[in-house]
Amino acid sequence: MDAIQFKNNIFLLNTKNVSYMFRVDRYGHLEHLHFGRKCLLSDAESFSYKKKILHGDTIAFDKKNDVYSLDSLPQEYASYGTGDFNEAPIEIEDHGSYTLDLTYDSYEVIDGDTKISGLPNAYGAVSTLLVHLSDKVNHLHLDLYYAIYPEENVIARRCVLINKGKRVCSLHKLMSFSLDLCEDDLVLMDFFGAWDKETHLYERPISRGTYTIGSRVGFSSAKNNPGFIVRRRETGEDRGKAWGFNLIYSGNHYSSISKNEYGIHRIMSGVSPERFHLSLKSGEEFETPEAIMTYSPDGLNGLSQNFHDFINEHVVRSDWKKKERPILINSWEGFGFDFKKDDLIKKLAKIAAKMGVELFVLDDGWFGRRNSDKRGLGDYNCNLKKIPGGIGSLSDEIHKLGLLFGIWVEPEAINIDSALYEKHPEYALHEEGRDFFFGRNELLMDLTLPEVRDYIVDNVTKLIDDNSVDYIKWDMNRMMNAVSGVYNHEYIKGLYEVLERIFIARPQVLFESCSSGGNRFDLGMLCYSPQIWSSDDTDPIERIDIQKGLSYLYPLSTMGAHVSASPHMQTLRHTPLETRFNISAYGCLGYELDLSLLSPLDRAEATRQIEFYKKHRKTFQYGKFCRVSREDDYESFEVLGEEEAIVTKFRRSVHAVPIYDKLCVEGLNEEKDYKVESRAFIHTLKRFGNLINFVTPVKVNADGKLVELISKYRGLEANIQKYEASGAALEDGIILDPLFLGTGYNESIRIPLDYGSDMYLIKEKKNVSGKEK
Ligand code: GLA
C-alpha cells in the first residue's frame, strides 16, 4: 500500500499498522479525519464529525452555510480570527491583526526525507508529503510536512511559515504540529521531574480545559520531558489505544492538550511561544523543529516499541548506531575533583580492566584551576599536578590496558575564575547592567556568537584528535535565566552547529550527553549523542522510576545507567550489589565508584555481572523492552531478544508471611517450551544477622569484626531457581519457589530483601545447550 495516497481531495498516509487521514473541504480548510488503525480512503466520510446544526452563539464561516463553523471542525492546522476559538497553533501579527485563514493551495510528494536549516531531524523516511497552505489576504504561506516511517508507525511533522506579503509581520507562536482528535475518555501521561528525580510518570484524566507541558529553563529540562502520551482510560501496558508525541528539540518547548465543548481534543507541540517575538520581513521564513507522532492499538508497550525502533533507526547516527555500547568505569562518584593519575590507574583502570570493563572515563576536574566546581570552566589545559604527562600520556596508558579512553567536558559553561574569562569576559551570557546569576557557580557561554562556537569547536576537536579520545561526556550544568524566546532558539541552533561540526565529522567517537544527569534527555541531543546520562541519581530504587519513565519514550540503548556505592550518596539507602547491577543492566551499563574499596567478594561479583551483561548485551540494549504488569511492591522489566528473554523483578519491600509470587514473561511463542533460570549471585553473610549462629560452630557477634571480615571474602550463593513452562504458561505467569519465612531454609527457598531483585533468563528449551540442560 502506498505510504501517501491522494484522491478526491483526501490525503491518506499509511505506515505498517497505522493510518492518518485528512481532506480538503469545500472552503479549502484541512479537515482532520483519522489517526489510528489502518483504514481506506473510502472510510473518510465515516470519520467525519457530522453536524446538522450549530450551537446558538457560534460564528458561521459562511453566512450561506449555517452548519459550518471552524470552532467545531477537527482541523490539521487551525488558525485564529475566522470562528475557531480553541487554542491556535499559530500566532502572527500583521499590523495589529491576528486573523489568518489558511487554505489549501497544492501538495507535493517528496522521495525520502527533507532537512531543516540549523536544526537536526530524523532521517530515512520513505516519503514526505508537503502541503502548501496560504492566507489569500496577507500572503502568509504555511507549508506542512509529513514524513512517513512505515516500519516504526511514525509520522514526523513540522512546518515552515513564509512571508510572501509586502509587510513585516511579527511571529509569536508556530507549533510544529497540531492534531484534533475525536476520542473520548483520554488520559494524559507526562514525564515530570527535577534534578536527581527525572522522568517520573504522572497521569491525568483529560477533562474540559487545557493541560500544558513545557520548559522555560532554556533546555528541554528534567522538569518536563518534551515527550508525552495520550491514551484511552482503559488502555494498559499490553492493550488499548495510545498516541505518543515527542519533539526533536533541546530548547524551551511547549505542548498543550485541550478538550473543547464538542469533545474534540486539540494537541500541539513546538518551540515555547513564551516571550517569543520574531520579526518576519517580506521573503523571510521560520522553520519549526520536527515533532514525531506514533499510535498503537496494542497498549503502551506497543507504543514504546514504536518509539524505540524509530530512535534506534532514524534518530541515532554515527558509527555507534545499533552498535553494542561499551561497559564503562567513570571517575566521578569515586573521586570527584580529588585525584592523581596514579589513583586513576591503580584504583580504577587496572582493576576495571581485570573485571572486564571496556571504557575508562575521566570525569570533571582534569583541567585548568578545576579543583572544585567554582573555577576552571572554559579552560582546556590539563592540570599537570594531577596528571603529569598530560591527557595524551593518560590516554596511552589506558589504551595499553586494553581500555577505550573517554573524557568529560562542559563546553557551554564558563567560570569567572578561569583563564578564558580573564581574556574573553564577553563570551559569557550576561545581561548588560545586571548582576550575574550563577548556577553551580557558572555562567553559560553565548553560543549565538560565532567566535564562541569556534572556540568550543577548536578546543574540543583538539582534545579529541590530539589524545586519541574514544568517548566524550558532554555536560551542561545550569539553567538558562533571562534568555528566552528567539534568543533561546538561536542558542540551541548554535549548540547544534557546534555538535554537528565536532561529532558528525567524527562518527567513531562515542558521545554521551549529560546535563546534571537527565536535564537534556531529548531527541535533539540524541541526533548527536547515541546515549545520554539518565540521572545523577544512581540509587537503584530511584532508578526504577527514572528508567521506567524514560522507557516510555526512549530505548534502553540510549540510557546511561551505572552501579555506584552503597549507601547511596544522595539517598543514604543501603542496597544490594545485585540490585544495583540488575537495574543498570536495563541500559548502557557502567560502574561509578572507587573500585579499590570493593571487597574481594564484591569485586568477584561485579566481574560475574559484567560477564553476564556482555553475553546478553544485545538483548539488554536492543531487545524489545516491556514493562511487565506491576504488582504490589514489585516492578518487573523484560527485554526480549531473538533467542532469549530476560525478566527482572525488583522488590521494594519485604513483608512477613509472603504469599506466592509469579513470573510473567511476554512475547514468547505460546506453543513452545522454555527453560527459566535465575541469574547466580551471592548473599553477603552480613545480610543474615544473628541467623548465622545457626550454622557456625561457635557463637559469633553478627555485628562484630569477625563477621565483617568474613563477609568480605565469603557469602552464601543464592539458590539458582529453575523452571520449565510453555510460552502460554509464562505469559499467564508461573508460580515461583517459596520465599524465606524465618522457619527454615533449604535449596528451593528464595531469600527476599528490601530492595532485592531477581533476574531470570528465559530460553527456548531446544536452544539450551547440553551442559545448561
Ligand atoms: C554533573 C554530572 C555528573 C558529573 C558532574 C561533574 O553533575 O551530571 O555526572 O559529571 O557534573 O561535575
Side-chain angles (χ1 to χ4, degrees):
M1 200 184 248
D2 287 348
I4 297 170
Q5 296 177 29
F6 180 70
K7 204 173 163 193
N8 299 334
N9 275 342
I10 304 165
F11 289 97
L12 176 64
L13 315 183
N14 287 311
T15 68
K16 198 165 71 183
N17 306 319
V18 173
S19 287
Y20 187 97
M21 184 152 50
F22 58 96
R23 67 179 170 193
V24 184
D25 72 13
R26 58 189 278 209
Y27 297 99
H29 298 126
L30 297 185
E31 178 190 1
H32 177 78
L33 294 167
H34 175 70
F35 181 23
R37 273 173 207 274
K38 214 53 184 284
C39 66
L40 302 171
L41 278 164
S42 55
D43 291 320
E45 193 47 37
S46 51
F47 290 128
S48 173
Y49 188 145
K50 280 117 194 139
K51 275 157 283 169
K52 298 276 182 238
I53 194 154
L54 291 185
H55 287 199
D57 55 354
T58 327
I59 305 288
F61 182 77
D62 173 2
K63 62 176 177 304
K64 291 192 225 98
N65 181 352
D66 57 8
V67 292
Y68 183 83
S69 166
L70 289 171
D71 206 32
S72 56
L73 180 76
Q75 294 169 69
E76 270 310 287
Y77 205 95
S79 46
Y80 171 80
T82 51
D84 185 339
F85 294 94
N86 303 293
E87 183 178 346
I90 179 169
E91 193 178 310
I92 183 156
E93 187 190 343
D94 177 9
H95 294 79
S97 166
Y98 290 88
T99 301
L100 206 57
D101 186 25
L102 293 165
T103 54
Y104 177 74
D105 290 326
S106 60
Y107 80 96
E108 292 170 51
V109 173
I110 301 165
D111 264 356
D113 49 53
T114 57
K115 297 276 163 281
I116 313 177
S117 84
L119 294 172
N121 61 330
Y123 62 97
V126 288
S127 44
T128 303
L129 170 68
L130 168 54
V131 181
H132 300 287
L133 308 175
S134 66
D135 182 294
K136 313 301 183 266
V137 175
N138 60 16
H139 305 290
L140 287 165
H141 287 236
L142 187 71
D143 284 349
L144 302 180
Y145 288 80
Y146 301 79
I148 320 290
Y149 296 88
E151 282 307 306
E152 298 81 13
N153 297 307
V154 165
I155 296 174
R157 286 187 59 182
R158 65 187 186 90
C159 59
V160 182
L161 182 74
I162 312 133
N163 184 358
K164 293 195 182 171
K166 294 216 165 55
R167 309 202 298 191
V168 181
C169 294
S170 179
L171 179 65
H172 302 307
K173 176 180 183 185
L174 188 68
M175 294 288 100
S176 297
F177 79 92
S178 172
L179 172 73
D180 286 359
L181 271 188
C182 289
E183 283 281 347
D184 214 5
D185 264 347
L186 295 183
V187 173
L188 169 64
M189 302 171 66
D190 64 331
F191 301 90
F192 183 81
W195 169 75
D196 236 24
K197 205 175 173 39
E198 295 84 345
T199 46
H200 281 240
L201 167 65
Y202 287 84
E203 302 191 87
R204 315 180 243 173
I206 303 174
S207 159
R208 305 285 162 184
T210 302
Y211 301 74
T212 62
I213 294 168
S215 164
R216 52 175 77 93
V217 312
F219 303 103
S220 50
S221 99
K223 286 178 187 273
N224 246 185
N225 196 279
F228 63 95
I229 293 169
V230 170
R231 65 164 170 85
R232 288 287 302 256
R233 186 175 42 183
E234 69 277 9
T235 298
E237 293 291 359
D238 305 310
R239 55 191 61 81
K241 296 178 177 181
W243 295 260
F245 307 89
N246 208 339
L247 208 53
I248 307 188
Y249 191 59
S250 311
N252 286 335
H253 58 89
Y254 170 84
S255 300
S256 74
I257 301 92
S258 43
K259 182 178 184 179
N260 67 11
E261 63 270 45
Y262 308 98
I264 302 169
H265 294 81
R266 179 165 291 171
I267 303 171
M268 62 182 80
S269 278
V271 173
S272 171
E274 276 189 23
R275 292 173 282 277
F276 190 95
H277 304 284
L278 178 72
S279 194
L280 215 57
K281 296 198 197 90
S282 176
E284 286 185 341
E285 59 182 49
F286 180 77
E287 291 187 83
T288 69
E290 188 166 56
I292 66 166
M293 315 190 305
T294 183
Y295 167 79
S296 173
D298 303 320
L300 297 163
N301 279 324
L303 193 81
S304 297
Q305 273 145 27
N306 289 349
F307 273 132
H308 294 184
D309 294 346
F310 177 76
I311 293 167
N312 280 326
E313 189 61 48
H314 301 290
V315 174
V316 168
R317 39 212 104 188
S318 93
D319 294 355
W320 291 92
K321 173 178 176 173
K322 292 205 189 148
K323 195 165 154 186
E324 292 181 27
R325 308 291 159 70
I327 301 167
L328 66 82
I329 174 76
N330 177 298
S331 66
W332 178 248
E333 285 200 21
F335 291 90
F337 295 103
D338 186 17
F339 57 82
K340 289 268 180 343
K341 183 175 163 191
D342 268 5
D343 300 326
L344 302 177
I345 298 289
K346 282 196 200 129
K347 297 185 179 170
L348 288 183
K350 279 194 172 159
I351 305 177
K354 276 203 192 125
M355 285 166 48
V357 166
E358 298 154 314
L359 162 66
F360 170 89
V361 181
L362 171 58
D363 210 281
D364 199 354
W366 59 267
F367 51 89
R369 310 162 190 169
R370 190 87 174 150
N371 290 321
S372 77
D373 63 13
K374 292 194 171 53
R375 50 190 64 91
L377 287 176
D379 299 340
Y380 288 83
N381 56 313
C382 177
N383 180 334
L384 296 175
K385 281 200 190 120
K386 289 185 184 176
I387 308 179
I391 295 300
S393 77
L394 178 65
S395 167
D396 284 350
E397 281 190 54
I398 296 293
H399 283 133
K400 275 190 200 131
L401 289 169
L403 298 169
L404 297 169
F405 177 69
I407 194 161
W408 178 97
V409 288
E410 190 179 343
E412 294 160 73
I414 180 167
N415 286 125
I416 287 200
D417 187 350
S418 67
L420 179 66
Y421 188 81
E422 280 155 23
K423 208 162 151 209
H424 288 294
E426 76 284 6
Y427 282 10
L429 252 182
H430 165 226
E431 274 192 305
E432 208 53 53
R434 293 197 185 273
D435 274 348
F436 289 118
F437 291 95
F438 294 97
R440 211 189 177 205
N441 307 303
E442 63 196 47
L443 301 172
L444 282 169
M445 300 255 271
D446 188 349
L447 266 73
T448 65
L449 302 175
E451 58 274 30
V452 169
R453 300 200 290 271
D454 289 346
Y455 177 82
I456 296 175
V457 173
D458 290 350
N459 281 287
V460 177
T461 53
K462 199 167 163 1
L463 178 69
I464 295 175
D465 298 344
D466 291 357
N467 301 295
S468 309
V469 169
D470 305 296
Y471 159 110
I472 286 279
K473 177 174 172 188
W474 181 299
D475 209 344
M476 200 292 300
N477 281 310
R478 59 159 291 166
M479 296 179 188
M480 184 187 287
N481 66 300
V483 173
S484 56
V486 176
Y487 206 133
N488 174 249
H489 186 62
E490 289 304 313
Y491 177 102
I492 295 296
K493 282 171 78 177
L495 170 64
Y496 291 146
E497 184 206 293
V498 163
L499 297 179
E500 188 97 20
R501 285 163 66 190
I502 299 172
F503 294 104
I504 300 297
R506 287 169 186 74
Q508 78 285 1
V509 175
L510 176 58
F511 166 19
E512 177 156 353
S513 158
C514 169
S515 179
S516 304
N519 200 32
R520 214 162 48 180
F521 207 121
D522 63 62
L523 295 177
M525 292 311 288
L526 284 174
C527 288
Y528 302 99
S529 67
Q531 58 193 59
I532 300 182
W533 180 225
S534 315
S535 176
D536 279 352
D537 195 338
T538 47
D539 175 304
I541 303 308
E542 296 297 295
R543 276 287 181 136
I544 294 174
D545 293 322
I546 296 170
Q547 289 178 216
K548 179 180 171 187
L550 280 173
S551 77
Y552 282 96
L553 306 168
Y554 305 97
L556 270 53
S557 59
T558 62
M559 299 177 199
H562 298 176
V563 173
S564 62
S566 171
H568 189 258
M569 267 165 70
Q570 285 124 11
T571 58
L572 302 180
R573 181 170 15 226
H574 289 259
T575 52
L577 182 59
E578 67 270 12
T579 298
R580 284 178 270 151
F581 166 75
N582 286 349
I583 187 71
S584 305
Y586 288 85
C588 300
L589 175 68
Y591 287 76
E592 191 164 335
L593 70 172
D594 182 345
L595 296 177
S596 69
L597 300 179
L598 280 181
S599 68
L601 188 70
D602 282 353
R603 215 184 277 180
E605 273 299 273
T607 308
R608 251 195 329 174
Q609 296 171 347
I610 289 170
E611 202 183 317
F612 183 87
Y613 184 77
K614 280 184 181 165
K615 210 161 154 201
H616 306 285
R617 169 163 39 193
K618 192 160 169 230
T619 305
F620 279 123
Q621 294 182 357
Y622 294 102
K624 267 188 175 180
F625 177 78
C626 300
R627 296 162 297 268
V628 187
S629 306
R630 204 199 144 151
E631 305 151 70
D632 285 351
D633 286 324
Y634 282 107
E635 197 76 60
S636 298
F637 290 172
E638 172 179 341
V639 275
L640 180 66
E642 279 159 26
E643 305 226 310
E644 60 190 13
I646 304 166
V647 179
T648 303
K649 292 188 69 137
F650 296 97
R651 190 179 299 105
R652 294 193 198 253
S653 52
V654 170
H655 299 290
V657 197
I659 59 161
Y660 60 86
D661 114 57
K662 280 189 174 184
L663 177 74
C664 301
V665 189
E666 297 193 359
L668 301 176
N669 184 330
E670 296 199 356
E671 281 156 23
K672 289 190 172 161
D673 290 325
Y674 293 87
K675 282 198 173 246
V676 178
E677 192 168 306
S678 61
R679 186 178 73 77
F681 69 91
I682 286 212
H683 291 289
T684 60
L685 289 183
K686 280 195 297 182
R687 273 178 202 174
F688 298 95
N690 281 322
L691 285 182
I692 55 169
N693 283 311
F694 283 93
V695 290
T696 47
V698 289
K699 198 166 162 64
V700 294
N701 175 0
D703 267 342
K705 292 246 171 339
L706 182 63
V707 173
E708 182 78 41
L709 182 69
I710 298 174
S711 288
K712 289 189 177 162
Y713 297 89
R714 298 294 296 270
L716 177 71
E717 187 76 48
N719 289 326
I720 304 274
Q721 307 157 54
K722 293 188 180 180
Y723 311 92
E724 285 190 18
S726 68
L730 284 158
E731 182 94 31
D732 270 358
I734 59 166
I735 295 188
L736 296 172
D737 286 347
L739 288 164
F740 179 74
L741 275 176
T743 49
Y745 181 73
N746 59 44
E747 67 290 342
S748 69
I749 300 279
R750 292 184 298 135
I751 296 187
L753 278 184
D754 283 347
Y755 319 128
S757 55
D758 284 298
M759 184 178 272
Y760 298 92
L761 178 65
I762 300 101
K763 279 183 181 271
E764 200 190 320
K765 216 164 148 188
K766 78 171 182 11
N767 288 344
V768 179
S769 70
K771 193 173 149 239
E772 280 171 292
K773 265 185 202 164

